[in-house]
Amino acid sequence: MSTAPTARHRRFLAQLAKEHYLQGSSKVELAKSHGLSRFQIARLLQEAVDCGVVTISIEADAAHEDDRAERLATTLGLRSAVIVEFDHETHAAQRMGRAALSYVDRHARPGMRIGLAWSRTLDAAAEFAPALPRCTIVQLAGALQLGSHRPSAGIFARLGQDAAVTMVRLPAPLLVTEADTAADLSALPEISSALAAADDLDLAVISVAAWAQEQSSVWEKCSPEQRAAGLADGAVAEASGRLFDAAGAEVDTIDDRVIAVTLDQLRNAATTVGVARGAQRAEAVRAACAAGILDVAIVDEALAREILDSQAPGAQAAPQTVSQNTSLTASQAQVQVAARTEET
């Protein structure tokens, strides 16, 4: 049974990939400079692709794809958007998680404070966690046990193995049964300090969900009465247990039972990235934009199409929060090295 490479080995794979793909060094040259055989270099370069250190994508009508991502960002009033393509729903969560982690890898800089909310999407891509420069990773929300499956936080375990990363874990579930329990837990020093670490984030990554059946992990953990109460209070969306309505106003139905980052902390982050999948989450994404908690959206094709197609002719785009839009698509023609050598 194969195991995921260590952070140290990923850095070595990243260095080889950069020298080969970006600097043009041949396999023979790499073999000589690193004291290996050409065949060993070939195997290592293939390993870099297999484990996600290198991602290779094929350009297909890139001008159209870039325009679509830019139009999506403009429609939502965001700084940029990424549209993720995948062939089969079976691999959807992993592809979305890899896109989010790739965004973190491209934008991480030494000294940054990066917040990651627990989500099944990020956990599905844990084996592709990038080797980051020296930075602090803050867990923005705890894991939820869904059904009989034990909660997993593999993404935090993987990143925590990296000596370059200072990990701030949130040792509490996202949602508890009673408000008193949430208050008692939040008062514990290890939890209160973790929650405070979500202040002044340089980059935050969250999942955006619809407040509806089979669309939200938090919905699944709530009682029928709490679900109905949230709907009655106007909730249409949820991010790390925080509910909000279509206009972006906060809905505090379950706030006193949630132990996680607040919407204000997300608004105060320099860049907040929201990940969402499926056309049924279009209203939730629009609500998150109205709430002012997103700067970047990472969505799949179905969700992008739903948002763009539902834009009424002649309707005003949401106001721009920055003076310049940039866009990315998951089908851009390039080889991306998804991990970098350690920066000190």
Side-chain angles (χ1 to χ4, degrees):
M1 180 178 178
S2 62
T3 58
T6 64
R8 182 177 180 180
H9 188 55
R10 286 177 70 88
R11 291 182 193 281
F12 178 57
L13 294 177
Q15 184 60 36
L16 289 179
K18 286 179 179 177
E19 291 177 20
H20 180 61
Y21 292 113
L22 303 183
Q23 298 170 14
S25 298
S26 70
K27 294 173 185 175
V28 173
E29 291 171 330
L30 289 175
K32 183 176 181 179
S33 63
H34 290 280
L36 299 170
S37 72
R38 177 170 60 87
F39 301 103
Q40 287 176 309
I41 292 294
R43 284 197 297 270
L44 288 167
L45 289 174
Q46 183 59 50
E47 182 184 357
V49 174
D50 294 340
C51 72
V53 169
V54 168
T55 58
I56 301 175
S57 53
I58 307 300
E59 181 171 329
D61 195 10
H64 170 72
E65 294 295 331
D66 288 347
D67 176 68
R68 189 169 57 147
E70 185 171 349
R71 285 191 294 116
L72 179 64
T74 300
T75 297
L76 295 173
L78 299 179
R79 192 178 304 164
S80 65
V82 178
I83 301 175
V84 181
E85 301 175 3
F86 44 82
D87 296 327
H88 198 282
E89 190 67 20
T90 303
H91 308 295
Q94 186 185 89
R95 288 296 301 273
M96 296 296 296
R98 288 184 67 173
L101 292 174
S102 178
Y103 186 95
V104 172
D105 181 63
R106 292 195 305 271
H107 292 84
R109 299 292 181 269
M112 271 190 169
R113 180 180 293 190
I114 301 170
L116 300 179
W118 173 86
S119 73
R120 288 177 286 189
T121 297
L122 285 183
D123 237 33
E127 65 181 290
F128 301 103
L132 298 172
R134 292 193 177 277
C135 64
T136 298
I137 298 293
V138 180
Q139 183 177 348
L140 301 180
L144 287 174
Q145 179 168 340
L146 303 173
S148 60
H149 301 287
R150 295 187 63 183
S152 170
I155 183 61
F156 299 108
R158 286 288 300 158
L159 290 171
Q161 294 172 2
D162 193 337
V165 172
T166 298
M167 181 67 65
V168 179
R169 295 294 296 268
L170 181 57
L174 189 156
L175 187 73
V176 295
T177 305
E178 301 294 336
D180 288 346
T181 304
D184 290 342
L185 288 173
S186 298
L188 294 174
E190 61 270 32
I191 295 178
S192 61
S193 60
L195 293 172
D199 292 336
D200 303 318
L201 295 169
D202 296 294
L203 176 62
V205 179
I206 60 171
S207 288
V208 178
W211 188 242
Q213 186 174 1
E214 299 182 354
Q215 299 301 316
S216 163
S217 300
V218 176
W219 169 285
E220 294 180 36
K221 294 295 290 185
C222 286
S223 68
E225 293 76 18
Q226 290 161 341
R227 298 168 186 167
L231 292 172
D233 291 341
V236 301
E238 171 260 314
S240 295
R242 306 300 180 181
L243 307 185
F244 40 97
D245 65 18
E250 297 183 37
V251 175
D252 63 2
T253 311
I254 60 171
D255 258 11
D256 59 357
R257 298 172 52 241
V258 170
I259 306 172
V261 63
T262 66
L263 295 184
D264 278 341
Q265 286 174 312
L266 294 176
R267 292 187 188 100
N268 290 334
T271 300
T272 299
V273 179
V275 183
R277 173 170 59 93
Q280 62 273 27
R281 293 192 172 98
E283 184 180 20
V285 171
R286 286 191 288 260
C289 295
I293 62 173
L294 297 187
D295 302 290
V296 178
I298 298 178
V299 304
D300 68 336
E301 287 188 283
L303 179 49
R305 185 166 54 249
E306 176 66 23
I307 292 173
L308 291 172
D309 289 351
S310 63
Q311 180 78 353
Q316 294 293 319
Q320 293 297 304
T321 56
V322 294
S323 59
Q324 181 179 1
N325 278 327
T326 58
S327 61
L328 295 168
T329 71
S331 62
Q332 288 176 322
Q334 58 183 337
V335 176
Q336 292 184 337
V337 178
R340 56 169 62 81
T341 51
E342 182 175 350
E343 300 176 71
T344 56

